[in-house]
Amino acid sequence: MVSDGLWQRVEPLLPQIERRQRYPGRRRIPDRQVLCGILFVLYTAIPWEFLPQELGFGSGMTCWRRLAEWHAAGVWQRLHEVLLAELHAAGKLDWSKAVIDASHVRALKGGPKTGPSPVDRARTGSKHHVITEGAGIPLAVSLTGGNRHDVTQLHTLIEAIPPVRGRRGRPRRRPDRLYADRGYDYDTHRRAVRAKGITPHIARRGTEHGSGLGVHRWVVEQTIALLHWFRRLRVRWEIRDDIHEAFMSLACAIICYRRLFR
């Protein structure tokens, strides 16, 4: 399930665990097999405890523990940055504009970063916030409660865009323009975005639809649909927010990897 190309990029980022010389215990399951198990859960949304042992991925708890450890070590974020750098070097990142949006998902077990969703009859939910470059490649994501306003993550996502290397000169981090819908229509935030050197293009509340921004904004909606193509992200099953965020970061990296060879 893990292609050779993806594994070549993941393996150098994984923390090396030395086996104890005295009382070594059971031999550690190879990281590549465990990564296959993590991806199997991400793709299928199968519960950890039902991960088939005959597939050779190890137990569901082993995969869960390794996912949490690697997320805490920053593996998925660094993998995302490595792939963004490769896309930048290949000229596949459109820095002329960025697009931001959010989407609700139901959180069936509750937990941190959940809240009553105003679009789902106040059921407990979370929000996926995404910012992409002009072609829809995800630059940064964040997770909040379902009752948080979209605009609360505007500056958080802009600041979360990593410095992207891959070309001569200073790393690129800021797009030229930012497109957003009416949920981000606040003049104070427009001024703050301009202060970062980005020109905001945000639809105005109270005006008729047909502003023309949809020509630019559809790419982020496509990216959110791609994130939710991973079944584990359609519904938030994890009580721990860091586990769900780990799945989000890993899914973004996979989307970037696919774009690299498309």
Side-chain angles (χ1 to χ4, degrees):
M1 181 179 293
V2 179
S3 65
D4 292 337
L6 181 60
W7 178 244
Q8 289 172 2
R9 291 165 175 81
V10 174
E11 186 179 18
L13 306 177
L14 299 178
Q16 298 300 315
I17 306 298
E18 297 292 337
R19 196 177 186 207
R20 293 179 300 182
Q21 296 298 322
R22 189 179 185 187
Y23 308 119
R26 187 187 307 177
R27 186 173 294 276
R28 182 182 172 92
I29 297 177
D31 289 338
R32 186 168 184 173
Q33 294 175 220
V34 175
L35 180 57
C36 288
I38 293 171
L39 291 177
F40 189 83
V41 173
L42 176 61
Y43 285 132
T44 66
I46 189 172
W48 292 105
E49 60 270 23
F50 294 155
L51 187 65
Q53 292 288 308
E54 56 269 21
L55 294 178
F57 302 152
S59 68
M61 183 51 62
T62 296
C63 295
W64 180 91
R65 190 182 302 113
R66 209 79 62 93
L67 173 67
E69 291 174 357
W70 291 343
H71 179 63
V75 171
W76 312 126
Q77 178 61 30
R78 294 204 304 273
L79 175 62
H80 188 196
E81 293 175 9
V82 166
L83 291 167
L84 285 175
E86 291 190 42
L87 287 164
H88 188 41
K92 294 187 177 183
L93 291 183
D94 180 6
W95 289 101
S96 66
K97 59 184 177 181
V99 194
I100 189 172
D101 206 351
S103 177
H104 287 85
V105 293
R106 189 172 295 180
L108 296 182
K109 298 182 179 180
K113 298 184 181 179
T114 63
S117 174
V119 298
D120 194 16
R121 299 180 181 179
R123 292 187 176 97
T124 303
S126 294
K127 269 188 179 181
H128 294 162
H129 302 263
V130 184
I131 186 169
T132 73
E133 49 79 70
I137 296 173
L139 298 175
V141 293
S142 67
L143 178 71
T144 66
N147 57 334
R148 293 292 299 278
H149 199 285
D150 292 358
V151 78
T152 61
Q153 294 299 296
L154 175 61
H155 304 293
T156 300
L157 285 175
I158 293 175
E159 291 299 323
I161 299 175
V164 180
R165 308 180 187 276
R167 291 192 172 187
R168 182 177 298 177
R170 298 178 62 184
R172 187 68 188 262
R173 192 172 184 179
R174 293 287 182 262
D176 297 330
R177 301 186 300 277
L178 178 69
Y179 291 87
D181 61 18
R182 290 169 176 80
Y184 302 86
D185 180 23
Y186 294 88
D187 288 336
T188 55
H189 293 287
R190 281 190 174 89
R191 289 192 292 269
V193 170
R194 287 195 185 96
K196 298 178 186 294
I198 304 171
T199 304
H201 294 269
I202 303 175
R204 293 282 185 180
R205 292 191 300 269
T207 59
E208 295 184 2
H209 288 272
S211 62
L213 296 182
V215 176
H216 305 279
R217 289 190 55 256
W218 68 271
V219 295
V220 71
E221 297 173 357
Q222 179 191 58
T223 302
I224 291 174
L226 288 175
L227 282 176
H228 293 171
W229 179 85
F230 299 95
R231 293 186 178 182
R232 193 72 180 193
L233 294 178
R234 294 180 189 174
V235 177
R236 178 177 165 180
W237 295 97
E238 291 75 31
I239 297 177
R240 285 179 49 171
D241 55 322
D242 61 325
I243 299 297
H244 193 75
E245 288 171 338
F247 276 132
M248 291 174 64
S249 296
L250 179 56
C252 286
I254 293 173
I255 292 173
C256 291
Y257 179 75
R258 290 173 176 171
R259 287 293 188 94
L260 187 62
F261 297 101
R262 194 171 74 173

